[in-house]
Amino acid sequence: MAGLKTIIALSFVLAIGFLLVILSSALWKNYLTLLVVATYVIAPIPNWLCGRAQNSDDFMDSGSTGVVDFGRFLTGFLVVMGIALPALLAHCYLITYPAMVMSIIGGLLIYGTIISFTMFFQEEQEF
């Protein structure tokens, strides 16, 4: 069970991630890097939905994992898109390279915090 210090630390890291992404937009007056926030917020949703949609049975352990694998694939795609989108925008000279670096680091901090929250506060299933 995670304590109050864990919540405070993860909230601090999440705030730093959002600060980096917002500063990457505001310092250079180009708000295309805010798309990274959307991809990192949406990224865990397919994994969560497909994990809930899996048909788990108490009597049989051989459930279908195709749905879970598809959810992991979509989550991985969105995480890679969150990294590749600022790189693509910088390559096309729509944003500057420092904005790209700040956006990627901030996005990774945001996604890492979301994953850490779900790992620390995952409920144990009892039968």
Side-chain angles (χ1 to χ4, degrees), residues 1 11-12 16 19 23 30 52 70 80 84 90 94 97 102 104 107 113 117 121 127:
M1 187 74 184
S11 299
F12 183 71
I16 290 174
L19 178 70
L23 280 178
N30 192 346
R52 296 277 182 193
F70 181 68
V80 170
L94 294 174
Y97 284 104
M102 288 175 68
I104 289 174
T113 305
F117 267 120
F121 299 105
F127 293 105

PDB file of all heavy atoms in Angstrom, residues 1 11-12 16 19 23 30 52 70 80 84 90 94 97 102 104 107 113 117 121 127:
ATOM      1  N   MET A   1       0.839  -1.179   0.000  1.00  0.00           N
ATOM      2  CA  MET A   1       0.000   0.000   0.000  1.00  0.00           C
ATOM      3  C   MET A   1       0.885   1.243   0.000  1.00  0.00           C
ATOM      4  O   MET A   1       1.841   1.347   0.750  1.00  0.00           O
ATOM      5  CB  MET A   1      -0.894  -0.043   1.236  1.00  0.00           C
ATOM      6  CG  MET A   1      -1.929   1.024   1.278  1.00  0.00           C
ATOM      7  SD  MET A   1      -3.216   0.645   0.096  1.00  0.00           S
ATOM      8  CE  MET A   1      -4.195   2.092   0.262  1.00  0.00           C
ATOM      9  N   SER A  11       2.816  13.401  -7.429  1.00  0.00           N
ATOM     10  CA  SER A  11       2.161  14.654  -7.819  1.00  0.00           C
ATOM     11  C   SER A  11       3.192  15.715  -8.202  1.00  0.00           C
ATOM     12  O   SER A  11       2.975  16.483  -9.145  1.00  0.00           O
ATOM     13  CB  SER A  11       1.289  15.168  -6.677  1.00  0.00           C
ATOM     14  OG  SER A  11       0.291  14.238  -6.367  1.00  0.00           O
ATOM     15  N   PHE A  12       4.310  15.740  -7.490  1.00  0.00           N
ATOM     16  CA  PHE A  12       5.375  16.690  -7.803  1.00  0.00           C
ATOM     17  C   PHE A  12       5.970  16.399  -9.183  1.00  0.00           C
ATOM     18  O   PHE A  12       6.183  17.316  -9.984  1.00  0.00           O
ATOM     19  CB  PHE A  12       6.454  16.627  -6.719  1.00  0.00           C
ATOM     20  CG  PHE A  12       7.557  17.606  -6.902  1.00  0.00           C
ATOM     21  CD1 PHE A  12       7.349  18.962  -6.710  1.00  0.00           C
ATOM     22  CD2 PHE A  12       8.821  17.175  -7.270  1.00  0.00           C
ATOM     23  CE1 PHE A  12       8.375  19.872  -6.880  1.00  0.00           C
ATOM     24  CE2 PHE A  12       9.852  18.072  -7.444  1.00  0.00           C
ATOM     25  CZ  PHE A  12       9.628  19.430  -7.246  1.00  0.00           C
ATOM     26  N   ILE A  16       5.858  18.754 -12.593  1.00  0.00           N
ATOM     27  CA  ILE A  16       7.050  19.115 -13.371  1.00  0.00           C
ATOM     28  C   ILE A  16       6.856  18.750 -14.838  1.00  0.00           C
ATOM     29  O   ILE A  16       7.231  19.501 -15.743  1.00  0.00           O
ATOM     30  CB  ILE A  16       8.308  18.455 -12.780  1.00  0.00           C
ATOM     31  CG1 ILE A  16       8.655  19.092 -11.438  1.00  0.00           C
ATOM     32  CG2 ILE A  16       9.496  18.574 -13.731  1.00  0.00           C
ATOM     33  CD1 ILE A  16       9.780  18.408 -10.715  1.00  0.00           C
ATOM     34  N   LEU A  19       4.539  21.232 -16.357  1.00  0.00           N
ATOM     35  CA  LEU A  19       5.240  22.507 -16.471  1.00  0.00           C
ATOM     36  C   LEU A  19       6.167  22.519 -17.683  1.00  0.00           C
ATOM     37  O   LEU A  19       6.211  23.498 -18.435  1.00  0.00           O
ATOM     38  CB  LEU A  19       6.028  22.790 -15.198  1.00  0.00           C
ATOM     39  CG  LEU A  19       6.846  24.086 -15.200  1.00  0.00           C
ATOM     40  CD1 LEU A  19       5.921  25.282 -15.151  1.00  0.00           C
ATOM     41  CD2 LEU A  19       7.819  24.092 -14.047  1.00  0.00           C
ATOM     42  N   LEU A  23       5.622  25.011 -20.731  1.00  0.00           N
ATOM     43  CA  LEU A  23       6.692  25.956 -21.054  1.00  0.00           C
ATOM     44  C   LEU A  23       7.235  25.758 -22.459  1.00  0.00           C
ATOM     45  O   LEU A  23       7.628  26.716 -23.117  1.00  0.00           O
ATOM     46  CB  LEU A  23       7.828  25.835 -20.038  1.00  0.00           C
ATOM     47  CG  LEU A  23       7.625  26.535 -18.710  1.00  0.00           C
ATOM     48  CD1 LEU A  23       8.810  26.277 -17.799  1.00  0.00           C
ATOM     49  CD2 LEU A  23       7.404  28.018 -18.893  1.00  0.00           C
ATOM     50  N   ASN A  30       4.242  28.683 -29.630  1.00  0.00           N
ATOM     51  CA  ASN A  30       3.741  27.716 -30.596  1.00  0.00           C
ATOM     52  C   ASN A  30       3.119  26.580 -29.795  1.00  0.00           C
ATOM     53  O   ASN A  30       3.822  25.831 -29.121  1.00  0.00           O
ATOM     54  CB  ASN A  30       4.888  27.205 -31.475  1.00  0.00           C
ATOM     55  CG  ASN A  30       4.368  26.433 -32.655  1.00  0.00           C
ATOM     56  OD1 ASN A  30       3.205  26.064 -32.702  1.00  0.00           O
ATOM     57  ND2 ASN A  30       5.237  26.190 -33.607  1.00  0.00           N
ATOM     58  N   ARG A  52     -10.295  -4.788 -19.012  1.00  0.00           N
ATOM     59  CA  ARG A  52     -11.627  -5.011 -18.454  1.00  0.00           C
ATOM     60  C   ARG A  52     -12.474  -5.891 -19.363  1.00  0.00           C
ATOM     61  O   ARG A  52     -13.346  -6.603 -18.882  1.00  0.00           O
ATOM     62  CB  ARG A  52     -12.352  -3.682 -18.252  1.00  0.00           C
ATOM     63  CG  ARG A  52     -11.715  -2.780 -17.261  1.00  0.00           C
ATOM     64  CD  ARG A  52     -12.132  -3.135 -15.886  1.00  0.00           C
ATOM     65  NE  ARG A  52     -11.522  -2.196 -14.947  1.00  0.00           N
ATOM     66  CZ  ARG A  52     -11.503  -2.400 -13.677  1.00  0.00           C
ATOM     67  NH1 ARG A  52     -12.042  -3.487 -13.169  1.00  0.00           N
ATOM     68  NH2 ARG A  52     -10.934  -1.540 -12.876  1.00  0.00           N
ATOM     69  N   PHE A  70      -4.029  -6.497 -27.866  1.00  0.00           N
ATOM     70  CA  PHE A  70      -4.427  -5.368 -28.705  1.00  0.00           C
ATOM     71  C   PHE A  70      -4.403  -4.069 -27.902  1.00  0.00           C
ATOM     72  O   PHE A  70      -3.965  -3.028 -28.400  1.00  0.00           O
ATOM     73  CB  PHE A  70      -5.818  -5.612 -29.303  1.00  0.00           C
ATOM     74  CG  PHE A  70      -6.291  -4.508 -30.192  1.00  0.00           C
ATOM     75  CD1 PHE A  70      -5.675  -4.259 -31.398  1.00  0.00           C
ATOM     76  CD2 PHE A  70      -7.363  -3.718 -29.809  1.00  0.00           C
ATOM     77  CE1 PHE A  70      -6.099  -3.234 -32.220  1.00  0.00           C
ATOM     78  CE2 PHE A  70      -7.806  -2.696 -30.616  1.00  0.00           C
ATOM     79  CZ  PHE A  70      -7.175  -2.445 -31.821  1.00  0.00           C
ATOM     80  N   VAL A  80       4.630   5.876 -28.228  1.00  0.00           N
ATOM     81  CA  VAL A  80       5.623   6.183 -29.269  1.00  0.00           C
ATOM     82  C   VAL A  80       5.208   7.423 -30.052  1.00  0.00           C
ATOM     83  O   VAL A  80       6.049   8.252 -30.415  1.00  0.00           O
ATOM     84  CB  VAL A  80       5.816   4.960 -30.197  1.00  0.00           C
ATOM     85  CG1 VAL A  80       6.641   5.319 -31.417  1.00  0.00           C
ATOM     86  CG2 VAL A  80       6.487   3.836 -29.431  1.00  0.00           C
ATOM     87  N   ALA A  84       7.328  10.663 -30.886  1.00  0.00           N
ATOM     88  CA  ALA A  84       7.632  10.941 -32.287  1.00  0.00           C
ATOM     89  C   ALA A  84       6.975  12.221 -32.802  1.00  0.00           C
ATOM     90  O   ALA A  84       7.507  12.848 -33.718  1.00  0.00           O
ATOM     91  CB  ALA A  84       7.183   9.760 -33.153  1.00  0.00           C
ATOM     92  N   ALA A  90       9.458  19.161 -35.020  1.00  0.00           N
ATOM     93  CA  ALA A  90      10.749  19.859 -35.059  1.00  0.00           C
ATOM     94  C   ALA A  90      11.452  19.628 -36.390  1.00  0.00           C
ATOM     95  O   ALA A  90      12.112  20.526 -36.911  1.00  0.00           O
ATOM     96  CB  ALA A  90      11.630  19.408 -33.907  1.00  0.00           C
ATOM     97  N   LEU A  94       8.206  23.250 -37.534  1.00  0.00           N
ATOM     98  CA  LEU A  94       7.002  23.855 -36.975  1.00  0.00           C
ATOM     99  C   LEU A  94       7.211  24.254 -35.518  1.00  0.00           C
ATOM    100  O   LEU A  94       6.548  25.164 -35.020  1.00  0.00           O
ATOM    101  CB  LEU A  94       5.822  22.896 -37.089  1.00  0.00           C
ATOM    102  CG  LEU A  94       5.364  22.585 -38.520  1.00  0.00           C
ATOM    103  CD1 LEU A  94       4.290  21.532 -38.516  1.00  0.00           C
ATOM    104  CD2 LEU A  94       4.869  23.862 -39.193  1.00  0.00           C
ATOM    105  N   TYR A  97      13.854  23.044 -31.701  1.00  0.00           N
ATOM    106  CA  TYR A  97      14.428  21.853 -31.084  1.00  0.00           C
ATOM    107  C   TYR A  97      14.418  21.884 -29.554  1.00  0.00           C
ATOM    108  O   TYR A  97      14.163  20.862 -28.937  1.00  0.00           O
ATOM    109  CB  TYR A  97      15.831  21.588 -31.635  1.00  0.00           C
ATOM    110  CG  TYR A  97      15.783  20.999 -33.021  1.00  0.00           C
ATOM    111  CD1 TYR A  97      16.077  21.768 -34.134  1.00  0.00           C
ATOM    112  CD2 TYR A  97      15.417  19.674 -33.212  1.00  0.00           C
ATOM    113  CE1 TYR A  97      16.021  21.237 -35.398  1.00  0.00           C
ATOM    114  CE2 TYR A  97      15.352  19.133 -34.478  1.00  0.00           C
ATOM    115  CZ  TYR A  97      15.654  19.911 -35.575  1.00  0.00           C
ATOM    116  OH  TYR A  97      15.584  19.379 -36.826  1.00  0.00           O
ATOM    117  N   MET A 102      12.003  19.679 -24.474  1.00  0.00           N
ATOM    118  CA  MET A 102      11.188  19.927 -23.287  1.00  0.00           C
ATOM    119  C   MET A 102       9.866  19.164 -23.361  1.00  0.00           C
ATOM    120  O   MET A 102       9.386  18.635 -22.354  1.00  0.00           O
ATOM    121  CB  MET A 102      10.920  21.422 -23.128  1.00  0.00           C
ATOM    122  CG  MET A 102      12.121  22.215 -22.699  1.00  0.00           C
ATOM    123  SD  MET A 102      11.811  23.989 -22.649  1.00  0.00           S
ATOM    124  CE  MET A 102      10.669  24.096 -21.301  1.00  0.00           C
ATOM    125  N   ILE A 104       9.226  16.325 -25.043  1.00  0.00           N
ATOM    126  CA  ILE A 104       9.445  14.880 -24.894  1.00  0.00           C
ATOM    127  C   ILE A 104       9.737  14.520 -23.438  1.00  0.00           C
ATOM    128  O   ILE A 104       9.166  13.565 -22.901  1.00  0.00           O
ATOM    129  CB  ILE A 104      10.581  14.412 -25.827  1.00  0.00           C
ATOM    130  CG1 ILE A 104      10.109  14.440 -27.281  1.00  0.00           C
ATOM    131  CG2 ILE A 104      11.031  13.001 -25.464  1.00  0.00           C
ATOM    132  CD1 ILE A 104      11.181  14.132 -28.291  1.00  0.00           C
ATOM    133  N   GLY A 107       6.528  14.959 -21.455  1.00  0.00           N
ATOM    134  CA  GLY A 107       5.576  13.901 -21.778  1.00  0.00           C
ATOM    135  C   GLY A 107       5.947  12.573 -21.144  1.00  0.00           C
ATOM    136  O   GLY A 107       5.078  11.842 -20.655  1.00  0.00           O
ATOM    137  N   THR A 113       4.400   9.010 -14.579  1.00  0.00           N
ATOM    138  CA  THR A 113       3.623   9.236 -13.367  1.00  0.00           C
ATOM    139  C   THR A 113       2.290   8.513 -13.421  1.00  0.00           C
ATOM    140  O   THR A 113       1.856   7.927 -12.424  1.00  0.00           O
ATOM    141  CB  THR A 113       3.400  10.746 -13.163  1.00  0.00           C
ATOM    142  OG1 THR A 113       4.663  11.401 -13.162  1.00  0.00           O
ATOM    143  CG2 THR A 113       2.681  11.020 -11.871  1.00  0.00           C
ATOM    144  N   PHE A 117       1.232   5.691 -10.741  1.00  0.00           N
ATOM    145  CA  PHE A 117       0.002   5.753  -9.957  1.00  0.00           C
ATOM    146  C   PHE A 117      -0.772   4.445 -10.063  1.00  0.00           C
ATOM    147  O   PHE A 117      -1.254   3.920  -9.067  1.00  0.00           O
ATOM    148  CB  PHE A 117      -0.901   6.902 -10.430  1.00  0.00           C
ATOM    149  CG  PHE A 117      -0.707   8.179  -9.680  1.00  0.00           C
ATOM    150  CD1 PHE A 117      -0.307   9.323 -10.343  1.00  0.00           C
ATOM    151  CD2 PHE A 117      -0.941   8.267  -8.324  1.00  0.00           C
ATOM    152  CE1 PHE A 117      -0.135  10.518  -9.671  1.00  0.00           C
ATOM    153  CE2 PHE A 117      -0.776   9.452  -7.632  1.00  0.00           C
ATOM    154  CZ  PHE A 117      -0.364  10.581  -8.316  1.00  0.00           C
ATOM    155  N   PHE A 121      -1.292   1.972  -6.739  1.00  0.00           N
ATOM    156  CA  PHE A 121      -2.628   1.932  -6.193  1.00  0.00           C
ATOM    157  C   PHE A 121      -3.498   0.876  -6.851  1.00  0.00           C
ATOM    158  O   PHE A 121      -4.709   1.019  -6.931  1.00  0.00           O
ATOM    159  CB  PHE A 121      -3.277   3.311  -6.309  1.00  0.00           C
ATOM    160  CG  PHE A 121      -2.516   4.344  -5.553  1.00  0.00           C
ATOM    161  CD1 PHE A 121      -1.730   5.266  -6.214  1.00  0.00           C
ATOM    162  CD2 PHE A 121      -2.562   4.380  -4.176  1.00  0.00           C
ATOM    163  CE1 PHE A 121      -1.007   6.218  -5.523  1.00  0.00           C
ATOM    164  CE2 PHE A 121      -1.837   5.324  -3.475  1.00  0.00           C
ATOM    165  CZ  PHE A 121      -1.061   6.247  -4.141  1.00  0.00           C
ATOM    166  N   PHE A 127     -10.302 -13.901  -3.717  1.00  0.00           N
ATOM    167  CA  PHE A 127     -11.421 -14.784  -4.068  1.00  0.00           C
ATOM    168  C   PHE A 127     -12.153 -15.221  -2.837  1.00  0.00           C
ATOM    169  O   PHE A 127     -11.702 -15.462  -1.823  1.00  0.00           O
ATOM    170  CB  PHE A 127     -10.919 -16.010  -4.830  1.00  0.00           C
ATOM    171  CG  PHE A 127     -10.378 -15.656  -6.181  1.00  0.00           C
ATOM    172  CD1 PHE A 127      -9.022 -15.635  -6.421  1.00  0.00           C
ATOM    173  CD2 PHE A 127     -11.240 -15.336  -7.201  1.00  0.00           C
ATOM    174  CE1 PHE A 127      -8.519 -15.315  -7.658  1.00  0.00           C
ATOM    175  CE2 PHE A 127     -10.752 -14.993  -8.447  1.00  0.00           C
ATOM    176  CZ  PHE A 127      -9.399 -14.992  -8.671  1.00  0.00           C
TER     177      PHE A 127
END
